PDB file of all heavy atoms in Angstrom:
ATOM      1  N   LYS A   1     -19.918-125.673 135.173  1.00 98.00           N
ATOM      2  CA  LYS A   1     -19.599-126.561 134.054  1.00 98.00           C
ATOM      3  C   LYS A   1     -18.731-127.721 134.515  1.00 98.00           C
ATOM      4  O   LYS A   1     -19.010-128.891 134.193  1.00 98.00           O
ATOM      5  CB  LYS A   1     -18.882-125.778 132.953  1.00 98.00           C
ATOM      6  CG  LYS A   1     -18.541-126.600 131.721  1.00 98.00           C
ATOM      7  CD  LYS A   1     -17.910-125.742 130.629  1.00 98.00           C
ATOM      8  CE  LYS A   1     -17.625-126.564 129.374  1.00 98.00           C
ATOM      9  NZ  LYS A   1     -17.052-125.725 128.278  1.00 98.00           N
ATOM     10  N   ILE A   2     -17.686-127.432 135.283  1.00 98.00           N
ATOM     11  CA  ILE A   2     -16.775-128.476 135.760  1.00 98.00           C
ATOM     12  C   ILE A   2     -17.498-129.427 136.705  1.00 98.00           C
ATOM     13  O   ILE A   2     -17.306-130.648 136.651  1.00 98.00           O
ATOM     14  CB  ILE A   2     -15.550-127.848 136.437  1.00 98.00           C
ATOM     15  CG1 ILE A   2     -14.731-127.041 135.423  1.00 98.00           C
ATOM     16  CG2 ILE A   2     -14.680-128.920 137.085  1.00 98.00           C
ATOM     17  CD1 ILE A   2     -13.689-126.139 136.046  1.00 98.00           C
ATOM     18  N   THR A   3     -18.349-128.880 137.573  1.00 98.00           N
ATOM     19  CA  THR A   3     -19.092-129.712 138.516  1.00 98.00           C
ATOM     20  C   THR A   3     -19.956-130.724 137.783  1.00 98.00           C
ATOM     21  O   THR A   3     -20.017-131.907 138.153  1.00 98.00           O
ATOM     22  CB  THR A   3     -19.977-128.838 139.429  1.00 98.00           C
ATOM     23  OG1 THR A   3     -19.131-127.981 140.205  1.00 98.00           O
ATOM     24  CG2 THR A   3     -20.811-129.697 140.369  1.00 98.00           C
ATOM     25  N   ARG A   4     -20.620-130.288 136.731  1.00 97.00           N
ATOM     26  CA  ARG A   4     -21.482-131.202 135.973  1.00 97.00           C
ATOM     27  C   ARG A   4     -20.661-132.284 135.270  1.00 97.00           C
ATOM     28  O   ARG A   4     -21.085-133.436 135.181  1.00 97.00           O
ATOM     29  CB  ARG A   4     -22.337-130.410 134.983  1.00 97.00           C
ATOM     30  CG  ARG A   4     -23.383-129.537 135.693  1.00 97.00           C
ATOM     31  CD  ARG A   4     -24.358-128.875 134.739  1.00 97.00           C
ATOM     32  NE  ARG A   4     -25.428-128.202 135.480  1.00 97.00           N
ATOM     33  CZ  ARG A   4     -25.518-126.886 135.632  1.00 97.00           C
ATOM     34  NH1 ARG A   4     -24.605-126.088 135.085  1.00 97.00           N
ATOM     35  NH2 ARG A   4     -26.514-126.359 136.313  1.00 97.00           N
ATOM     36  N   ILE A   5     -19.472-131.924 134.796  1.00 97.00           N
ATOM     37  CA  ILE A   5     -18.596-132.915 134.162  1.00 97.00           C
ATOM     38  C   ILE A   5     -18.148-133.961 135.181  1.00 97.00           C
ATOM     39  O   ILE A   5     -18.165-135.167 134.911  1.00 97.00           O
ATOM     40  CB  ILE A   5     -17.373-132.221 133.524  1.00 97.00           C
ATOM     41  CG1 ILE A   5     -17.807-131.381 132.316  1.00 97.00           C
ATOM     42  CG2 ILE A   5     -16.319-133.245 133.107  1.00 97.00           C
ATOM     43  CD1 ILE A   5     -16.716-130.490 131.746  1.00 97.00           C
ATOM     44  N   VAL A   6     -17.753-133.502 136.366  1.00 97.00           N
ATOM     45  CA  VAL A   6     -17.332-134.416 137.432  1.00 97.00           C
ATOM     46  C   VAL A   6     -18.499-135.292 137.868  1.00 97.00           C
ATOM     47  O   VAL A   6     -18.351-136.511 138.047  1.00 97.00           O
ATOM     48  CB  VAL A   6     -16.768-133.625 138.626  1.00 97.00           C
ATOM     49  CG1 VAL A   6     -16.497-134.556 139.811  1.00 97.00           C
ATOM     50  CG2 VAL A   6     -15.499-132.889 138.238  1.00 97.00           C
ATOM     51  N   ALA A   7     -19.677-134.685 138.032  1.00 98.00           N
ATOM     52  CA  ALA A   7     -20.859-135.433 138.476  1.00 98.00           C
ATOM     53  C   ALA A   7     -21.223-136.527 137.476  1.00 98.00           C
ATOM     54  O   ALA A   7     -21.589-137.645 137.868  1.00 98.00           O
ATOM     55  CB  ALA A   7     -22.031-134.477 138.669  1.00 98.00           C
ATOM     56  N   GLU A   8     -21.114-136.218 136.195  1.00 97.00           N
ATOM     57  CA  GLU A   8     -21.426-137.214 135.163  1.00 97.00           C
ATOM     58  C   GLU A   8     -20.445-138.386 135.215  1.00 97.00           C
ATOM     59  O   GLU A   8     -20.846-139.545 135.091  1.00 97.00           O
ATOM     60  CB  GLU A   8     -21.392-136.556 133.775  1.00 97.00           C
ATOM     61  CG  GLU A   8     -22.564-135.619 133.515  1.00 97.00           C
ATOM     62  CD  GLU A   8     -22.414-134.845 132.211  1.00 97.00           C
ATOM     63  OE1 GLU A   8     -21.444-135.112 131.464  1.00 97.00           O
ATOM     64  OE2 GLU A   8     -23.264-133.979 131.938  1.00 97.00           O
ATOM     65  N   ALA A   9     -19.158-138.078 135.417  1.00 95.00           N
ATOM     66  CA  ALA A   9     -18.143-139.139 135.493  1.00 95.00           C
ATOM     67  C   ALA A   9     -18.378-140.033 136.709  1.00 95.00           C
ATOM     68  O   ALA A   9     -18.207-141.258 136.634  1.00 95.00           O
ATOM     69  CB  ALA A   9     -16.749-138.521 135.545  1.00 95.00           C
ATOM     70  N   LEU A  10     -18.778-139.433 137.823  1.00 96.00           N
ATOM     71  CA  LEU A  10     -19.045-140.208 139.028  1.00 96.00           C
ATOM     72  C   LEU A  10     -20.335-141.022 138.890  1.00 96.00           C
ATOM     73  O   LEU A  10     -20.414-142.157 139.372  1.00 96.00           O
ATOM     74  CB  LEU A  10     -19.137-139.280 140.237  1.00 96.00           C
ATOM     75  CG  LEU A  10     -17.815-138.637 140.668  1.00 96.00           C
ATOM     76  CD1 LEU A  10     -18.053-137.521 141.668  1.00 96.00           C
ATOM     77  CD2 LEU A  10     -16.869-139.680 141.251  1.00 96.00           C
ATOM     78  N   ALA A  11     -21.333-140.441 138.226  1.00 97.00           N
ATOM     79  CA  ALA A  11     -22.603-141.155 138.019  1.00 97.00           C
ATOM     80  C   ALA A  11     -22.385-142.426 137.213  1.00 97.00           C
ATOM     81  O   ALA A  11     -23.075-143.438 137.420  1.00 97.00           O
ATOM     82  CB  ALA A  11     -23.602-140.238 137.323  1.00 97.00           C
ATOM     83  N   GLU A  12     -21.416-142.387 136.298  1.00 96.00           N
ATOM     84  CA  GLU A  12     -21.097-143.579 135.506  1.00 96.00           C
ATOM     85  C   GLU A  12     -20.567-144.707 136.386  1.00 96.00           C
ATOM     86  O   GLU A  12     -20.611-145.873 135.996  1.00 96.00           O
ATOM     87  CB  GLU A  12     -20.082-143.230 134.423  1.00 96.00           C
ATOM     88  CG  GLU A  12     -20.631-142.316 133.332  1.00 96.00           C
ATOM     89  CD  GLU A  12     -19.587-141.919 132.309  1.00 96.00           C
ATOM     90  OE1 GLU A  12     -18.418-142.352 132.451  1.00 96.00           O
ATOM     91  OE2 GLU A  12     -19.929-141.176 131.370  1.00 96.00           O
ATOM     92  N   LYS A  13     -20.060-144.326 137.565  1.00 95.00           N
ATOM     93  CA  LYS A  13     -19.555-145.319 138.522  1.00 95.00           C
ATOM     94  C   LYS A  13     -20.640-145.725 139.524  1.00 95.00           C
ATOM     95  O   LYS A  13     -20.386-146.510 140.443  1.00 95.00           O
ATOM     96  CB  LYS A  13     -18.359-144.751 139.283  1.00 95.00           C
ATOM     97  CG  LYS A  13     -17.171-144.362 138.406  1.00 95.00           C
ATOM     98  CD  LYS A  13     -16.419-145.578 137.911  1.00 95.00           C
ATOM     99  CE  LYS A  13     -15.148-145.169 137.184  1.00 95.00           C
ATOM    100  NZ  LYS A  13     -14.351-146.358 136.749  1.00 95.00           N
ATOM    101  N   GLY A  14     -21.833-145.159 139.372  1.00 96.00           N
ATOM    102  CA  GLY A  14     -22.934-145.523 140.245  1.00 96.00           C
ATOM    103  C   GLY A  14     -23.004-144.772 141.550  1.00 96.00           C
ATOM    104  O   GLY A  14     -23.651-145.225 142.506  1.00 96.00           O
ATOM    105  N   VAL A  15     -22.338-143.613 141.628  1.00 97.00           N
ATOM    106  CA  VAL A  15     -22.368-142.806 142.850  1.00 97.00           C
ATOM    107  C   VAL A  15     -22.790-141.379 142.500  1.00 97.00           C
ATOM    108  O   VAL A  15     -22.763-140.975 141.338  1.00 97.00           O
ATOM    109  CB  VAL A  15     -20.999-142.799 143.557  1.00 97.00           C
ATOM    110  CG1 VAL A  15     -20.649-144.208 144.024  1.00 97.00           C
ATOM    111  CG2 VAL A  15     -19.909-142.270 142.633  1.00 97.00           C
ATOM    112  N   GLU A  16     -23.168-140.607 143.521  1.00 98.00           N
ATOM    113  CA  GLU A  16     -23.709-139.264 143.283  1.00 98.00           C
ATOM    114  C   GLU A  16     -22.888-138.185 143.987  1.00 98.00           C
ATOM    115  O   GLU A  16     -22.627-138.275 145.183  1.00 98.00           O
ATOM    116  CB  GLU A  16     -25.165-139.182 143.754  1.00 98.00           C
ATOM    117  CG  GLU A  16     -25.814-137.834 143.461  1.00 98.00           C
ATOM    118  CD  GLU A  16     -27.251-137.747 143.913  1.00 98.00           C
ATOM    119  OE1 GLU A  16     -27.796-138.767 144.399  1.00 98.00           O
ATOM    120  OE2 GLU A  16     -27.843-136.651 143.803  1.00 98.00           O
ATOM    121  N   LEU A  17     -22.529-137.174 143.228  1.00 98.00           N
ATOM    122  CA  LEU A  17     -21.820-136.019 143.780  1.00 98.00           C
ATOM    123  C   LEU A  17     -22.818-135.088 144.457  1.00 98.00           C
ATOM    124  O   LEU A  17     -23.798-134.672 143.844  1.00 98.00           O
ATOM    125  CB  LEU A  17     -21.091-135.275 142.654  1.00 98.00           C
ATOM    126  CG  LEU A  17     -20.333-134.007 143.060  1.00 98.00           C
ATOM    127  CD1 LEU A  17     -19.156-134.344 143.957  1.00 98.00           C
ATOM    128  CD2 LEU A  17     -19.855-133.250 141.810  1.00 98.00           C
ATOM    129  N   TYR A  18     -22.556-134.758 145.733  1.00 98.00           N
ATOM    130  CA  TYR A  18     -23.422-133.832 146.473  1.00 98.00           C
ATOM    131  C   TYR A  18     -22.843-132.415 146.461  1.00 98.00           C
ATOM    132  O   TYR A  18     -23.581-131.446 146.302  1.00 98.00           O
ATOM    133  CB  TYR A  18     -23.596-134.301 147.918  1.00 98.00           C
ATOM    134  CG  TYR A  18     -24.728-135.278 148.135  1.00 98.00           C
ATOM    135  CD1 TYR A  18     -25.029-136.257 147.179  1.00 98.00           C
ATOM    136  CD2 TYR A  18     -25.489-135.248 149.296  1.00 98.00           C
ATOM    137  CE1 TYR A  18     -26.063-137.157 147.384  1.00 98.00           C
ATOM    138  CE2 TYR A  18     -26.521-136.144 149.513  1.00 98.00           C
ATOM    139  CZ  TYR A  18     -26.809-137.097 148.558  1.00 98.00           C
ATOM    140  OH  TYR A  18     -27.831-137.992 148.766  1.00 98.00           O
ATOM    141  N   ASP A  19     -21.535-132.300 146.679  1.00 98.00           N
ATOM    142  CA  ASP A  19     -20.896-130.984 146.588  1.00 98.00           C
ATOM    143  C   ASP A  19     -19.412-131.169 146.325  1.00 98.00           C
ATOM    144  O   ASP A  19     -18.864-132.251 146.508  1.00 98.00           O
ATOM    145  CB  ASP A  19     -21.158-130.107 147.827  1.00 98.00           C
ATOM    146  CG  ASP A  19     -20.735-130.747 149.136  1.00 98.00           C
ATOM    147  OD1 ASP A  19     -19.675-131.405 149.161  1.00 98.00           O
ATOM    148  OD2 ASP A  19     -21.449-130.599 150.141  1.00 98.00           O
ATOM    149  N   ILE A  20     -18.771-130.102 145.883  1.00 97.00           N
ATOM    150  CA  ILE A  20     -17.358-130.168 145.522  1.00 97.00           C
ATOM    151  C   ILE A  20     -16.727-128.799 145.707  1.00 97.00           C
ATOM    152  O   ILE A  20     -17.394-127.768 145.548  1.00 97.00           O
ATOM    153  CB  ILE A  20     -17.183-130.662 144.069  1.00 97.00           C
ATOM    154  CG1 ILE A  20     -15.706-130.889 143.730  1.00 97.00           C
ATOM    155  CG2 ILE A  20     -17.872-129.732 143.085  1.00 97.00           C
ATOM    156  CD1 ILE A  20     -15.498-131.671 142.439  1.00 97.00           C
ATOM    157  N   LYS A  21     -15.444-128.809 146.076  1.00 96.00           N
ATOM    158  CA  LYS A  21     -14.710-127.568 146.353  1.00 96.00           C
ATOM    159  C   LYS A  21     -13.596-127.398 145.333  1.00 96.00           C
ATOM    160  O   LYS A  21     -12.838-128.333 145.071  1.00 96.00           O
ATOM    161  CB  LYS A  21     -14.146-127.626 147.770  1.00 96.00           C
ATOM    162  CG  LYS A  21     -13.321-126.431 148.188  1.00 96.00           C
ATOM    163  CD  LYS A  21     -12.959-126.517 149.665  1.00 96.00           C
ATOM    164  CE  LYS A  21     -12.114-127.720 149.983  1.00 96.00           C
ATOM    165  NZ  LYS A  21     -11.733-127.810 151.417  1.00 96.00           N
ATOM    166  N   PHE A  22     -13.507-126.207 144.749  1.00 97.00           N
ATOM    167  CA  PHE A  22     -12.481-125.895 143.758  1.00 97.00           C
ATOM    168  C   PHE A  22     -11.665-124.683 144.200  1.00 97.00           C
ATOM    169  O   PHE A  22     -12.068-123.933 145.095  1.00 97.00           O
ATOM    170  CB  PHE A  22     -13.108-125.537 142.405  1.00 97.00           C
ATOM    171  CG  PHE A  22     -13.908-126.630 141.767  1.00 97.00           C
ATOM    172  CD1 PHE A  22     -15.278-126.490 141.586  1.00 97.00           C
ATOM    173  CD2 PHE A  22     -13.299-127.788 141.307  1.00 97.00           C
ATOM    174  CE1 PHE A  22     -16.021-127.479 140.974  1.00 97.00           C
ATOM    175  CE2 PHE A  22     -14.040-128.791 140.691  1.00 97.00           C
ATOM    176  CZ  PHE A  22     -15.403-128.634 140.522  1.00 97.00           C
ATOM    177  N   GLU A  23     -10.543-124.497 143.499  1.00 96.00           N
ATOM    178  CA  GLU A  23      -9.809-123.240 143.579  1.00 96.00           C
ATOM    179  C   GLU A  23      -9.530-122.770 142.158  1.00 96.00           C
ATOM    180  O   GLU A  23      -9.254-123.582 141.274  1.00 96.00           O
ATOM    181  CB  GLU A  23      -8.503-123.403 144.355  1.00 96.00           C
ATOM    182  CG  GLU A  23      -8.707-123.603 145.847  1.00 96.00           C
ATOM    183  CD  GLU A  23      -7.398-123.568 146.620  1.00 96.00           C
ATOM    184  OE1 GLU A  23      -6.566-122.679 146.329  1.00 96.00           O
ATOM    185  OE2 GLU A  23      -7.214-124.428 147.497  1.00 96.00           O
ATOM    186  N   PHE A  24      -9.612-121.466 141.962  1.00 97.00           N
ATOM    187  CA  PHE A  24      -9.332-120.880 140.661  1.00 97.00           C
ATOM    188  C   PHE A  24      -8.263-119.809 140.795  1.00 97.00           C
ATOM    189  O   PHE A  24      -8.057-119.226 141.864  1.00 97.00           O
ATOM    190  CB  PHE A  24     -10.603-120.251 140.063  1.00 97.00           C
ATOM    191  CG  PHE A  24     -11.633-121.255 139.644  1.00 97.00           C
ATOM    192  CD1 PHE A  24     -12.565-121.739 140.548  1.00 97.00           C
ATOM    193  CD2 PHE A  24     -11.681-121.712 138.339  1.00 97.00           C
ATOM    194  CE1 PHE A  24     -13.514-122.674 140.173  1.00 97.00           C
ATOM    195  CE2 PHE A  24     -12.627-122.651 137.939  1.00 97.00           C
ATOM    196  CZ  PHE A  24     -13.545-123.125 138.859  1.00 97.00           C
ATOM    197  N   GLY A  25      -7.582-119.560 139.699  1.00 95.00           N
ATOM    198  CA  GLY A  25      -6.606-118.487 139.637  1.00 95.00           C
ATOM    199  C   GLY A  25      -6.715-117.821 138.281  1.00 95.00           C
ATOM    200  O   GLY A  25      -7.646-118.098 137.515  1.00 95.00           O
ATOM    201  N   PHE A  26      -5.777-116.955 137.985  1.00 94.00           N
ATOM    202  CA  PHE A  26      -5.808-116.332 136.659  1.00 94.00           C
ATOM    203  C   PHE A  26      -4.389-116.184 136.126  1.00 94.00           C
ATOM    204  O   PHE A  26      -3.433-115.993 136.869  1.00 94.00           O
ATOM    205  CB  PHE A  26      -6.539-114.992 136.678  1.00 94.00           C
ATOM    206  CG  PHE A  26      -5.972-113.967 137.627  1.00 94.00           C
ATOM    207  CD1 PHE A  26      -5.127-112.964 137.172  1.00 94.00           C
ATOM    208  CD2 PHE A  26      -6.304-113.982 138.978  1.00 94.00           C
ATOM    209  CE1 PHE A  26      -4.607-112.016 138.036  1.00 94.00           C
ATOM    210  CE2 PHE A  26      -5.793-113.032 139.857  1.00 94.00           C
ATOM    211  CZ  PHE A  26      -4.937-112.046 139.379  1.00 94.00           C
ATOM    212  N   ASN A  27      -4.276-116.346 134.823  1.00 88.00           N
ATOM    213  CA  ASN A  27      -3.011-116.255 134.114  1.00 88.00           C
ATOM    214  C   ASN A  27      -3.236-115.360 132.914  1.00 88.00           C
ATOM    215  O   ASN A  27      -4.028-115.684 132.027  1.00 88.00           O
ATOM    216  CB  ASN A  27      -2.554-117.653 133.669  1.00 88.00           C
ATOM    217  CG  ASN A  27      -1.151-117.652 133.106  1.00 88.00           C
ATOM    218  OD1 ASN A  27      -0.715-116.688 132.500  1.00 88.00           O
ATOM    219  ND2 ASN A  27      -0.442-118.743 133.302  1.00 88.00           N
ATOM    220  N   GLN A  28      -2.583-114.185 132.912  1.00 82.00           N
ATOM    221  CA  GLN A  28      -2.790-113.196 131.852  1.00 82.00           C
ATOM    222  C   GLN A  28      -4.271-112.879 131.698  1.00 82.00           C
ATOM    223  O   GLN A  28      -4.833-112.876 130.596  1.00 82.00           O
ATOM    224  CB  GLN A  28      -2.196-113.701 130.536  1.00 82.00           C
ATOM    225  CG  GLN A  28      -0.685-113.901 130.595  1.00 82.00           C
ATOM    226  CD  GLN A  28      -0.097-114.396 129.294  1.00 82.00           C
ATOM    227  OE1 GLN A  28      -0.821-114.797 128.392  1.00 82.00           O
ATOM    228  NE2 GLN A  28       1.217-114.367 129.175  1.00 82.00           N
ATOM    229  N   ASP A  29      -4.932-112.632 132.827  1.00 81.00           N
ATOM    230  CA  ASP A  29      -6.337-112.224 132.898  1.00 81.00           C
ATOM    231  C   ASP A  29      -7.317-113.329 132.516  1.00 81.00           C
ATOM    232  O   ASP A  29      -8.522-113.090 132.431  1.00 81.00           O
ATOM    233  CB  ASP A  29      -6.596-110.989 132.023  1.00 81.00           C
ATOM    234  CG  ASP A  29      -5.848-109.764 132.522  1.00 81.00           C
ATOM    235  OD1 ASP A  29      -5.673-109.659 133.751  1.00 81.00           O
ATOM    236  OD2 ASP A  29      -5.431-108.939 131.695  1.00 81.00           O
ATOM    237  N   GLU A  30      -6.831-114.551 132.273  1.00 92.00           N
ATOM    238  CA  GLU A  30      -7.721-115.662 131.956  1.00 92.00           C
ATOM    239  C   GLU A  30      -7.918-116.516 133.200  1.00 92.00           C
ATOM    240  O   GLU A  30      -6.964-116.957 133.824  1.00 92.00           O
ATOM    241  CB  GLU A  30      -7.138-116.506 130.822  1.00 92.00           C
ATOM    242  CG  GLU A  30      -8.062-117.608 130.367  1.00 92.00           C
ATOM    243  CD  GLU A  30      -7.527-118.320 129.137  1.00 92.00           C
ATOM    244  OE1 GLU A  30      -6.329-118.644 129.109  1.00 92.00           O
ATOM    245  OE2 GLU A  30      -8.318-118.548 128.201  1.00 92.00           O
ATOM    246  N   VAL A  31      -9.191-116.742 133.569  1.00 96.00           N
ATOM    247  CA  VAL A  31      -9.507-117.555 134.741  1.00 96.00           C
ATOM    248  C   VAL A  31      -9.292-119.025 134.403  1.00 96.00           C
ATOM    249  O   VAL A  31      -9.712-119.502 133.345  1.00 96.00           O
ATOM    250  CB  VAL A  31     -10.964-117.334 135.183  1.00 96.00           C
ATOM    251  CG1 VAL A  31     -11.317-118.268 136.341  1.00 96.00           C
ATOM    252  CG2 VAL A  31     -11.175-115.887 135.599  1.00 96.00           C
ATOM    253  N   LEU A  32      -8.599-119.767 135.297  1.00 95.00           N
ATOM    254  CA  LEU A  32      -8.391-121.183 135.070  1.00 95.00           C
ATOM    255  C   LEU A  32      -8.455-121.950 136.379  1.00 95.00           C
ATOM    256  O   LEU A  32      -8.168-121.408 137.448  1.00 95.00           O
ATOM    257  CB  LEU A  32      -7.065-121.440 134.358  1.00 95.00           C
ATOM    258  CG  LEU A  32      -5.742-121.193 135.070  1.00 95.00           C
ATOM    259  CD1 LEU A  32      -4.619-121.886 134.302  1.00 95.00           C
ATOM    260  CD2 LEU A  32      -5.426-119.706 135.166  1.00 95.00           C
ATOM    261  N   LEU A  33      -8.841-123.203 136.284  1.00 97.00           N
ATOM    262  CA  LEU A  33      -8.930-124.068 137.443  1.00 97.00           C
ATOM    263  C   LEU A  33      -7.534-124.439 137.920  1.00 97.00           C
ATOM    264  O   LEU A  33      -6.672-124.817 137.127  1.00 97.00           O
ATOM    265  CB  LEU A  33      -9.700-125.340 137.079  1.00 97.00           C
ATOM    266  CG  LEU A  33      -9.887-126.354 138.208  1.00 97.00           C
ATOM    267  CD1 LEU A  33     -10.821-125.811 139.276  1.00 97.00           C
ATOM    268  CD2 LEU A  33     -10.417-127.669 137.641  1.00 97.00           C
ATOM    269  N   ILE A  34      -7.307-124.346 139.245  1.00 96.00           N
ATOM    270  CA  ILE A  34      -6.014-124.714 139.815  1.00 96.00           C
ATOM    271  C   ILE A  34      -6.224-125.755 140.918  1.00 96.00           C
ATOM    272  O   ILE A  34      -7.330-126.228 141.133  1.00 96.00           O
ATOM    273  CB  ILE A  34      -5.245-123.490 140.345  1.00 96.00           C
ATOM    274  CG1 ILE A  34      -6.012-122.815 141.497  1.00 96.00           C
ATOM    275  CG2 ILE A  34      -5.014-122.473 139.228  1.00 96.00           C
ATOM    276  CD1 ILE A  34      -5.232-121.691 142.183  1.00 96.00           C
ATOM    277  N   ASP A  35      -5.163-126.131 141.594  1.00 92.00           N
ATOM    278  CA  ASP A  35      -5.188-127.070 142.714  1.00 92.00           C
ATOM    279  C   ASP A  35      -5.481-128.484 142.223  1.00 92.00           C
ATOM    280  O   ASP A  35      -4.750-129.010 141.400  1.00 92.00           O
ATOM    281  CB  ASP A  35      -6.171-126.609 143.785  1.00 92.00           C
ATOM    282  CG  ASP A  35      -5.914-127.293 145.119  1.00 92.00           C
ATOM    283  OD1 ASP A  35      -4.737-127.400 145.514  1.00 92.00           O
ATOM    284  OD2 ASP A  35      -6.888-127.719 145.770  1.00 92.00           O
ATOM    285  N   GLU A  36      -6.549-129.125 142.683  1.00 93.00           N
ATOM    286  CA  GLU A  36      -6.813-130.520 142.372  1.00 93.00           C
ATOM    287  C   GLU A  36      -8.308-130.783 142.225  1.00 93.00           C
ATOM    288  O   GLU A  36      -9.143-129.954 142.579  1.00 93.00           O
ATOM    289  CB  GLU A  36      -6.252-131.426 143.469  1.00 93.00           C
ATOM    290  CG  GLU A  36      -6.950-131.243 144.810  1.00 93.00           C
ATOM    291  CD  GLU A  36      -6.375-132.121 145.918  1.00 93.00           C
ATOM    292  OE1 GLU A  36      -5.433-132.874 145.650  1.00 93.00           O
ATOM    293  OE2 GLU A  36      -6.889-132.041 147.042  1.00 93.00           O
ATOM    294  N   ILE A  37      -8.626-131.956 141.675  1.00 95.00           N
ATOM    295  CA  ILE A  37     -10.011-132.447 141.645  1.00 95.00           C
ATOM    296  C   ILE A  37      -9.939-133.867 142.182  1.00 95.00           C
ATOM    297  O   ILE A  37      -9.645-134.807 141.443  1.00 95.00           O
ATOM    298  CB  ILE A  37     -10.591-132.466 140.218  1.00 95.00           C
ATOM    299  CG1 ILE A  37     -10.383-131.124 139.520  1.00 95.00           C
ATOM    300  CG2 ILE A  37     -12.081-132.812 140.264  1.00 95.00           C
ATOM    301  CD1 ILE A  37     -10.813-131.136 138.061  1.00 95.00           C
ATOM    302  N   ALA A  38     -10.170-134.038 143.461  1.00 91.00           N
ATOM    303  CA  ALA A  38      -9.944-135.346 144.073  1.00 91.00           C
ATOM    304  C   ALA A  38     -10.975-135.626 145.158  1.00 91.00           C
ATOM    305  O   ALA A  38     -11.757-134.754 145.546  1.00 91.00           O
ATOM    306  CB  ALA A  38      -8.533-135.402 144.643  1.00 91.00           C
ATOM    307  N   SER A  39     -10.955-136.852 145.657  1.00 88.00           N
ATOM    308  CA  SER A  39     -11.962-137.294 146.624  1.00 88.00           C
ATOM    309  C   SER A  39     -11.961-136.463 147.900  1.00 88.00           C
ATOM    310  O   SER A  39     -13.000-136.300 148.538  1.00 88.00           O
ATOM    311  CB  SER A  39     -11.737-138.769 146.971  1.00 88.00           C
ATOM    312  OG  SER A  39     -10.453-138.962 147.534  1.00 88.00           O
ATOM    313  N   GLY A  40     -10.806-135.918 148.271  1.00 82.00           N
ATOM    314  CA  GLY A  40     -10.730-135.112 149.485  1.00 82.00           C
ATOM    315  C   GLY A  40     -11.413-133.767 149.376  1.00 82.00           C
ATOM    316  O   GLY A  40     -11.601-133.078 150.377  1.00 82.00           O
ATOM    317  N   ASN A  41     -11.799-133.386 148.157  1.00 90.00           N
ATOM    318  CA  ASN A  41     -12.448-132.089 147.950  1.00 90.00           C
ATOM    319  C   ASN A  41     -13.917-132.222 147.563  1.00 90.00           C
ATOM    320  O   ASN A  41     -14.530-131.242 147.145  1.00 90.00           O
ATOM    321  CB  ASN A  41     -11.727-131.301 146.848  1.00 90.00           C
ATOM    322  CG  ASN A  41     -10.399-130.758 147.319  1.00 90.00           C
ATOM    323  OD1 ASN A  41     -10.151-130.645 148.513  1.00 90.00           O
ATOM    324  ND2 ASN A  41      -9.536-130.436 146.382  1.00 90.00           N
ATOM    325  N   MET A  42     -14.448-133.426 147.663  1.00 94.00           N
ATOM    326  CA  MET A  42     -15.836-133.615 147.256  1.00 94.00           C
ATOM    327  C   MET A  42     -16.585-134.502 148.240  1.00 94.00           C
ATOM    328  O   MET A  42     -15.986-135.294 148.967  1.00 94.00           O
ATOM    329  CB  MET A  42     -15.901-134.211 145.846  1.00 94.00           C
ATOM    330  CG  MET A  42     -15.200-135.536 145.681  1.00 94.00           C
ATOM    331  SD  MET A  42     -15.262-136.179 143.965  1.00 94.00           S
ATOM    332  CE  MET A  42     -14.044-135.136 143.163  1.00 94.00           C
ATOM    333  N   ARG A  43     -17.889-134.333 148.257  1.00 96.00           N
ATOM    334  CA  ARG A  43     -18.747-135.186 149.081  1.00 96.00           C
ATOM    335  C   ARG A  43     -19.584-136.025 148.119  1.00 96.00           C
ATOM    336  O   ARG A  43     -20.383-135.485 147.354  1.00 96.00           O
ATOM    337  CB  ARG A  43     -19.633-134.332 149.982  1.00 96.00           C
ATOM    338  CG  ARG A  43     -20.064-135.016 151.258  1.00 96.00           C
ATOM    339  CD  ARG A  43     -20.928-134.142 152.150  1.00 96.00           C
ATOM    340  NE  ARG A  43     -20.637-132.735 152.082  1.00 96.00           N
ATOM    341  CZ  ARG A  43     -20.208-131.994 153.114  1.00 96.00           C
ATOM    342  NH1 ARG A  43     -19.959-132.556 154.265  1.00 96.00           N
ATOM    343  NH2 ARG A  43     -20.020-130.697 152.969  1.00 96.00           N
TER     344      ARG A  43
END
C-alpha cells in the first residue's frame, strides 16, 4: 500500500519508482512504518 502511494507521488513528478526499502516495527502489537521514506532508500 505504501509503495503504491509513493509511486503515485513520484509519477506526478514524471519519474518512476522501481523499488523501495522500508523498515517496520510494532507498538502495542500494532505494525507501523518506522525509519524514513527518502531518496536514499529507493531506486
Side-chain angles (χ1 to χ4, degrees):
K1 182 176 182 178
I2 296 167
T3 297
R4 292 187 173 105
I5 291 171
V6 173
E8 288 173 5
L10 290 168
E12 292 177 0
K13 300 286 187 177
V15 296
E16 183 180 356
L17 178 67
Y18 273 37
D19 56 39
I20 187 167
K21 178 173 62 179
F22 298 115
E23 289 188 44
F24 290 87
F26 58 99
N27 188 328
Q28 297 180 348
D29 295 327
E30 185 173 45
V31 176
L32 69 164
L33 180 68
I34 63 173
D35 198 44
E36 66 181 0
I37 310 174
S39 60
N41 286 341
M42 58 182 76
R43 207 179 328 242

